[in-house]
Amino acid sequence: NTCENLKWSLFDSHLFYARFCVQTSDSNSPAGDNLATNGLPFPWSKVRLPNYIVPVHYHLLIHPNLTTLRFNGSVKIEIDVKNNTNWVVLHSKNLKIFTATVLDEHEAHLSDKVLSVLEYPSHEQIAIFSPKILTSGEKYFLHLEFGAPLSDGFYGFYKSTYKTKAGETRVLASTHFEPTSARMALPCFDEPIFKANYTVRIRRGPSHIALSNMPLEQTVEIGNGLFEDQFEVSVKMSSYLLAFIVCDFRSVSGMTATGINISIYAVPEKWHQTHYALEAALRLMEFYEQYFNILYPLPKLDLIAIPDFQSGAMENWGLTTYMETSLLYDPDISSASDKLWVTMVIGHELAHQWFGNLVTMEWWNDIWLNEGFARYMEFVSLEAVYPELKVEDHFLDTCFGAIGRDSLNSSRPISSLAENPTQIKEMFDTVSYDKGACILHMLRNFLTSEGFQTGIIRYLRRFRYSNARNEDLWDSLIKVCHFICCLFLSYIYNSASKQKHIDLKKMMYTWTIQKGIPLITVKRQGRKLYIGQERFLKIVLPDDPSCYLWHIPLTYKTSHSDHEMKHILTTKSDVLTLDEEVDWVKLNSDMNGYYIVHYDEEGWNALTELLRVNHTALSFKDRASLIHNTFQLVTAGRLSLNRALDLIGYLKSETHNVPLLQGLGYLQSFYKLIDKRNIADVTHNLKTYILQYFRDVIDKQSWSDDGMVSDRRLREEVLSLACDFDYPPCLEKAKQLYNSWVESNGTISLPTDVSETVYMVGAQDDSGWAFLLEKYGVSMCETEKSKFLSALASSKDSEKLSRLLQLGMDGTLIKTQNVPSLIYMVARNPVGHFLAWDFVKKHWNELVEKFPLGSFGIRNIIVGTVTQFSSTEELREVEDFFKSITEQVSQLRVIQVATENVEKNIMWLSRNLETMRTWLQQRLN
């Protein structure tokens, strides 16, 4: 019975972890079927390392040669032996092991013989055989010497380059180890549970500096023009948090109130772009120390902008690394959105110093404990430290994005099976980050801010310098809940249904170990509310949505209440009794809960009328979530498109940017979908309607950087849409600004919030496009370059788009790190979406070499191209291509996500195109 199996996996946490998480064994006998590269049996058969040898302390010496682009190193690992064994099995990938020796606790050799090293590349493991048995309870040292080329990609110990203003190319070496790439830089026990101390020494030339997790202890000159930087012993940490860099960067530094030295490093000629990051890091560090009530345990924190970097940033303890666009801020070039992005990324990485670094998930199936918390703390920290940035305006978008993924059959539970590196890389997705953040927000709203904060402090204190699982967090919060708020919560949530106890762990398991999002149905009859729950799916398959059951903390407001009311729904259906008859009911107050709401016809009528006559009776979050819910229900075939379009009819009177952009965003997405199908009449009418209906909003925007952050964000979005839709006043102003900019040879400053729109208009003719490409090559600001690239990719000339894609593959003018976003930019261009897809098919093997399977890069390439399609022929072509490389991509969940999005597009058009056509004709006539 499917439902019964689901209940078992949901509520028996021990069963869940036994099935999906724990894979250890005391067996240390050869596993006959697994052969090492030399043909001998490899002594371990599992992807996960054995647990009978535990690393305690790594003594690492590393020497990158930035001329030969190779590195050599040695590591002495102090190990604890838990079971008698002759074998030491650990991780190594693409490393040449020169020598391996085992030493006793006095560092004497256990054997006079050279120890053989067996390699098993499919599991990225090596094994060292000791002729003398390693005895349980004894301390030993494993000493290895190794070398390899600096990696060409973005993982392990890799090469990065940058150009000076004079055109000189300079080289640096940097690391990125999360999730499974420390093994590319040194042989190690590369799993999060194997926490150890690290003592790092780095050799370098006189023109470079070396950085690692800990402060520099001393520098020793060792001859031949080389220096050895010796760093303090690290705190106990997982291997993926180790970091070291050799570069010639400059820095700016400051000190927190508690004496933490914070430094921002960047390419010397970008040093002036580091000052805002320093201010933000200092303020956010002080906030987190107070909020978590635990001092940051290291003496320093470095934030460094790496010229070649694939993800947004990485939280290495004491040495956080960033893409340049995520750390550097130039007030003359960067927009309000750019400033918010930099601040949020810094907030995210600093939160990781506690969530992830101090307390680490036991295994990658619970990576959401790192990423969901860090994503959520971005919002908590910025709301407290930078209220003027209005970060709360963006939180709804985070949850809306999570719902978009979670309402597909191809979604997954927050805690999911992940064993090999490809599966682990795919765990770093919308579900871990965004859904994780949204259920934490719901939990905080449920427990109260004070109860939530007290619980996570307890969790961090209990598991510091250790590892934790999903259930450990709930245990910590349960204790706080019992002492602080559960009696109160039980009363206010459940007085109507007479429930007396809230099982927090059971409640949260319904959110973390089953996939999907609930749909709450609401029917009002007099004073009674009949509510039900089921799984919300955009495409319903035989998988029965009724099998799913959540424990949902419901909140609701009515026309006659001045405060929100609460109720816990733990069954498939329930009945609530209101105190009096009301005109309307709105569930999910301020979108604090992670669920969609569907009202009966009377309920939708009442809310649509309320928005028309008095929209401010609802908060801006309630208005935005109503707009979102209606169009999600349209996509799922649960609500007519007419109903949703009528609901947003009130937007003419809307003054808040969040609901305004929510409604406008849906109309724009419909336009792009229909435009790609070349349905000329509907495309024309929808564009005409949008420009007519929102003309007042468009016309009142100034081409400046004036106003609050929310005003500036609205300006950026609205003027971009107006020019994209060829609105004459917008095009005229943008061309005027572009021509002035060109005449000054790019020296005058354009208003930062509209600069990308200006560049896009300018890129539509040959000379404008060529000038932008030239400026792209010489700009020293990556934020500016990203705007140039977006404009270049908006050209309606397919030859220019093909040239851009080829420049991306060459990796000289356009850096390889920007290829995934470039492919997406071209794919979203109506002229470029087939071009981009053909390019991906043709260059698939090269792309996978640059961006490993499961990585952010390859997932963005697949989703960015495939989800532009909306016909059965295109779907068949996509499916045929991925079938042709099944062996390569069979493990990739993102293929299912992408193809299901195409199915969703096809279904949307078949259900709604005629309705849209008729609705537009009626409105325009």
Side-chain angles (χ1 to χ4, degrees):
N1 181 300
T2 306
C3 293
E4 200 58 39
N5 289 341
L6 183 65
K7 289 174 190 172
W8 273 105
S9 64
L10 279 173
F11 300 127
D12 188 338
S13 61
H14 299 293
L15 175 66
F16 175 77
Y17 283 104
R19 284 177 59 201
F20 295 130
C21 309
V22 179
Q23 196 186 66
T24 59
S25 170
D26 292 337
S27 165
N28 50 359
S29 57
D33 295 338
N34 297 25
L35 297 180
T37 51
N38 63 359
L40 293 174
F42 193 78
W44 188 250
S45 63
K46 297 182 178 180
V47 177
R48 305 267 289 271
L49 292 178
N51 60 1
Y52 55 76
I53 294 201
V54 177
V56 176
H57 196 138
Y58 292 80
H59 299 266
L60 174 67
L61 169 64
I62 203 94
H63 178 199
N65 186 319
L66 300 186
T67 305
T68 64
L69 302 181
R70 294 187 59 84
F71 68 93
N72 288 313
S74 66
V75 65
K76 183 178 71 176
I77 311 172
E78 180 187 336
I79 55 175
D80 268 353
V81 177
K82 305 294 185 185
N83 288 355
N84 292 352
T85 184
N86 292 95
W87 290 99
V88 181
V89 180
L90 67 162
H91 288 111
S92 176
K93 181 181 180 184
N94 301 337
L95 296 174
K96 175 75 173 172
I97 309 296
F98 302 127
T99 63
T101 53
V102 178
L103 313 172
D104 65 19
E105 63 180 322
H106 306 295
E107 302 197 29
H109 287 242
L110 289 190
S111 172
D112 296 332
K113 297 178 182 177
V114 174
L115 301 185
S116 63
V117 179
L118 299 185
E119 298 181 13
Y120 192 47
S122 64
H123 286 179
E124 301 175 356
Q125 292 170 359
I126 58 172
I128 294 95
F129 178 76
S130 169
K132 184 176 177 182
I133 287 180
L134 307 181
T135 308
S136 174
E138 297 293 317
K139 180 169 81 173
Y140 297 91
F141 293 93
L142 177 64
H143 187 271
L144 299 137
E145 294 182 355
F146 56 92
L150 288 168
S151 169
D152 271 335
F154 304 95
Y155 289 96
F157 196 20
Y158 70 93
K159 171 194 73 174
S160 177
T161 61
Y162 71 91
K163 276 193 173 177
T164 65
K165 282 181 182 172
E168 177 194 357
T169 298
R170 294 187 181 174
V171 180
L172 60 138
S174 182
T175 57
H176 184 97
F177 292 162
E178 190 180 36
T180 60
S181 295
R183 63 194 72 173
M184 296 173 68
L186 69 153
C188 59
F189 298 80
D190 198 13
E191 294 177 7
I193 200 162
F194 292 119
K195 290 195 170 189
N197 301 103
Y198 293 81
T199 300
V200 177
R201 294 179 293 147
I202 303 174
R203 290 182 177 169
R204 59 168 177 85
S207 59
H208 292 98
I209 59 169
L211 300 170
S212 189
N213 304 76
M214 299 301 290
L216 182 65
E217 195 167 58
Q218 64 171 342
T219 298
V220 178
E221 190 168 358
I222 58 173
N224 296 323
L226 286 179
F227 295 84
E228 184 175 291
D229 291 331
Q230 300 172 356
F231 297 88
E232 294 177 17
V233 180
S234 80
V235 293
K236 196 177 171 187
M237 63 186 187
S238 301
S239 54
Y240 77 88
L241 295 170
L242 178 64
F244 37 88
I245 297 167
V246 174
C247 63
D248 65 348
F249 288 6
R250 286 184 63 195
S251 67
V252 58
S253 299
M255 192 84 74
T256 67
T258 53
I260 308 300
N261 188 59
I262 294 186
S263 302
I264 316 293
Y265 286 84
V267 167
E269 289 171 330
K270 298 179 182 179
W271 178 80
H272 68 285
Q273 300 173 38
T274 59
H275 294 83
Y276 175 70
L278 177 62
E279 177 216 307
L282 287 166
R283 292 180 65 183
L284 289 165
M285 175 66 85
E286 291 175 353
F287 167 80
Y288 282 131
E289 286 192 319
Q290 290 172 11
Y291 186 88
F292 296 133
N293 198 22
I294 298 171
L295 293 177
Y296 175 74
L298 276 59
K300 64 96 175 174
L301 175 65
D302 299 331
L303 297 81
I304 181 167
I306 305 295
D308 297 278
F309 200 84
Q310 198 201 343
S311 51
M314 175 60 208
E315 67 266 21
N316 318 299
W317 216 346
L319 178 56
T320 54
T321 48
Y322 297 76
M323 187 177 271
E324 289 186 326
T325 51
S326 299
L327 187 66
L328 303 182
Y329 175 79
D330 185 334
D332 293 329
I333 294 172
S334 305
S335 67
S337 296
D338 298 327
K339 186 175 192 176
L340 176 65
W341 171 249
V342 167
T343 319
M344 289 179 75
V345 176
I346 293 172
H348 183 100
E349 302 313 320
L350 265 62
H352 270 313
Q353 307 303 300
W354 286 265
F355 277 98
N357 299 9
L358 187 65
V359 179
T360 310
M361 74 278 139
E362 194 171 283
W363 183 248
W364 300 106
N365 63 293
D366 274 332
I367 186 58
W368 84 276
L369 289 174
N370 286 18
E371 300 302 347
F373 257 107
R375 173 58 51 87
Y376 186 48
M377 291 309 297
E378 294 173 28
F379 296 95
V380 174
S381 63
L382 265 69
E383 200 168 354
V385 179
Y386 287 97
E388 71 276 11
L389 291 181
K390 298 285 183 188
V391 72
E392 65 273 15
D393 289 3
H394 294 259
F395 189 69
L396 290 184
D397 289 335
T398 299
C399 297
F400 294 160
I403 291 167
R405 166 73 186 274
D406 217 18
S407 54
L408 300 177
N409 283 285
S410 51
S411 188
R412 64 169 183 85
I414 285 182
S415 284
S416 296
L417 173 68
E419 288 294 314
N420 64 46
T422 297
Q423 292 169 339
I424 291 166
K425 285 187 182 79
E426 275 209 295
M427 293 292 287
F428 292 79
D429 65 357
T430 298
V431 174
S432 289
Y433 284 74
D434 297 341
K435 181 178 179 180
C438 296
I439 68 159
L440 288 170
H441 179 68
M442 179 172 66
L443 181 61
R444 183 181 182 221
N445 190 61
F446 170 68
L447 289 177
T448 72
S449 297
E450 297 77 15
F452 179 80
Q453 183 180 359
T454 305
I456 61 174
I457 290 171
R458 179 186 178 87
Y459 167 77
L460 290 170
R461 288 186 182 279
R462 185 178 171 195
F463 294 99
R464 58 177 143 189
Y465 302 110
S466 186
N467 299 80
R469 300 189 297 181
N470 196 5
E471 61 188 22
D472 295 322
L473 176 63
W474 312 140
D475 286 339
S476 297
L477 287 163
I478 283 167
K479 297 216 170 29
V480 171
C481 184
H482 283 161
F483 286 112
I484 293 181
C485 54
C486 266
L487 289 175
F488 170 66
L489 288 170
S490 294
Y491 173 74
I492 63 170
Y493 271 93
N494 297 308
S495 55
S497 52
K498 304 291 188 280
Q499 291 171 305
K500 294 181 180 176
H501 178 64
I502 295 172
D503 187 333
L504 186 71
K505 186 187 286 191
K506 193 172 180 180
M507 170 177 139
M508 293 314 297
Y509 278 153
T510 69
W511 296 97
T512 57
I513 54 181
Q514 71 177 340
K515 65 181 179 180
I517 177 169
L519 172 69
I520 299 298
T521 56
V522 186
K523 184 175 184 181
R524 180 161 58 94
Q525 290 184 349
R527 290 171 49 219
K528 294 203 179 294
L529 285 183
Y530 295 86
I531 54 177
Q533 65 160 298
E534 62 189 78
R535 185 180 174 199
F536 176 65
L537 281 169
K538 288 177 184 161
I539 301 173
V540 179
L541 290 180
D543 179 21
D544 182 2
S546 67
C547 277
Y548 291 81
L549 178 70
W550 288 266
H551 291 191
I552 308 170
L554 297 177
T555 56
Y556 58 100
K557 296 173 184 170
T558 73
S559 56
H560 288 51
S561 63
D562 53 6
H563 63 277
E564 73 175 20
M565 288 160 285
K566 304 183 178 188
H567 176 77
I568 290 251
L569 180 64
T570 58
T571 54
K572 297 300 292 181
S573 61
D574 206 347
V575 181
L576 300 182
T577 304
L578 303 175
D579 292 335
E580 57 188 318
E581 292 267 3
V582 298
D583 299 324
W584 53 263
V585 176
K586 163 69 173 67
L587 268 74
N588 202 359
S589 304
D590 287 340
M591 187 72 191
N592 285 326
Y594 185 72
Y595 52 92
I596 297 269
V597 184
H598 185 21
Y599 304 90
D600 60 4
E601 185 173 0
E602 184 186 328
W604 281 119
N605 286 340
L607 289 167
T608 302
E609 179 64 9
L610 175 66
L611 289 175
R612 189 183 69 80
V613 299
N614 183 22
H615 66 274
T616 56
L618 297 174
S619 70
F620 79 85
K621 292 179 183 178
D622 277 334
R623 303 195 299 269
S625 68
L626 274 175
I627 294 168
H628 168 266
N629 282 199
T630 55
F631 284 111
Q632 291 294 303
L633 290 162
V634 168
T635 301
R638 304 288 294 254
L639 197 66
S640 72
L641 179 61
N642 282 340
R643 164 74 70 191
L645 291 170
D646 288 345
L647 182 133
I648 64 168
Y650 91 95
L651 284 176
K652 231 178 170 57
S653 350
E654 181 60 80
T655 55
H656 199 286
N657 69 307
V658 173
L660 195 54
L661 290 176
Q662 188 65 211
L664 203 49
Y666 273 109
L667 293 176
Q668 190 176 15
S669 69
F670 301 152
Y671 172 84
K672 289 178 185 287
L673 182 65
I674 296 165
D675 186 31
K676 285 194 175 76
R677 302 298 315 140
N678 295 316
I679 304 166
D681 65 317
V682 183
T683 303
H684 176 266
N685 285 347
L686 183 52
K687 180 197 284 191
T688 303
Y689 173 78
I690 292 170
L691 287 175
Q692 282 184 8
Y693 195 78
F694 293 98
R695 179 173 290 164
D696 290 347
V697 177
I698 297 167
D699 287 345
K700 73 179 182 186
Q701 302 304 318
S702 66
W703 293 72
S704 70
D705 289 333
D706 297 338
M708 305 289 287
V709 169
S710 54
D711 301 327
R712 296 177 63 180
R713 182 190 172 208
L714 182 65
R715 175 187 304 136
E716 189 175 359
E717 298 284 346
V718 165
L719 290 179
S720 173
L721 176 138
C723 282
D724 188 40
F725 281 9
D726 300 323
Y727 182 50
C730 187
L731 291 177
E732 186 181 328
K733 181 65 177 178
K735 283 176 183 171
Q736 176 193 330
L737 287 168
Y738 187 76
N739 291 337
S740 301
W741 181 71
V742 171
E743 285 166 16
S744 75
N745 196 27
T747 57
I748 65 166
S749 291
L750 292 171
T752 60
D753 298 327
V754 297
S755 58
E756 188 171 341
T757 297
V758 171
Y759 300 145
M760 281 182 172
V761 171
Q764 300 312 312
D765 62 54
D766 291 347
S767 62
W769 195 89
F771 185 77
L772 273 178
L773 188 62
E774 177 195 330
K775 288 297 170 192
Y776 182 89
V778 297
S779 173
M780 293 301 290
C781 176
E782 283 301 312
T783 301
E784 180 177 58
K785 289 177 79 166
S786 69
K787 292 175 169 60
F788 289 161
L789 193 60
S790 180
L792 290 164
S794 72
S795 170
K796 300 300 181 275
D797 184 333
S798 60
E799 287 185 14
K800 289 186 174 69
L801 299 179
S802 294
R803 184 182 169 198
L804 274 185
L805 291 169
Q806 197 52 55
L807 285 170
M809 289 304 286
D810 294 344
T812 306
L813 180 65
I814 299 174
K815 278 186 168 284
T816 302
Q817 68 174 7
N818 296 321
V819 168
S821 55
L822 172 62
I823 290 173
Y824 171 64
M825 289 171 188
V826 173
R828 71 185 181 188
N829 182 336
V831 175
H833 70 296
F834 289 118
L835 191 72
W837 171 240
D838 290 340
F839 182 84
V840 169
K841 288 188 295 181
K842 181 180 176 183
H843 295 278
W844 176 257
N845 289 329
E846 296 166 75
L847 289 167
V848 170
E849 276 182 35
K850 296 174 188 294
F851 308 101
L853 291 174
S855 66
F856 281 116
I858 206 69
R859 282 184 279 141
N860 290 343
I861 288 167
I862 292 168
V863 170
T865 51
V866 171
T867 56
Q868 307 297 321
F869 295 134
S870 57
S871 74
T872 51
E873 296 77 20
E874 291 161 348
L875 176 61
R876 198 172 304 118
E877 184 183 326
V878 168
E879 290 173 334
D880 288 347
F881 172 69
F882 287 120
K883 276 179 193 165
S884 73
I885 52 170
T886 297
E887 195 172 327
Q888 200 179 22
V889 301
S890 59
Q891 296 177 33
L892 283 185
R893 186 182 280 112
V894 71
I895 306 292
Q896 298 168 278
V897 174
T899 52
E900 197 175 349
N901 269 295
V902 181
E903 292 169 357
K904 180 195 73 177
N905 292 342
I906 293 167
M907 198 169 288
W908 193 94
L909 285 169
S910 69
R911 282 173 176 159
N912 298 302
L913 183 61
E914 284 308 315
T915 305
M916 176 69 84
R917 177 179 274 127
T918 304
W919 190 89
L920 286 168
Q921 287 169 349
Q922 290 171 349
R923 294 303 177 282
L924 291 174
N925 289 336

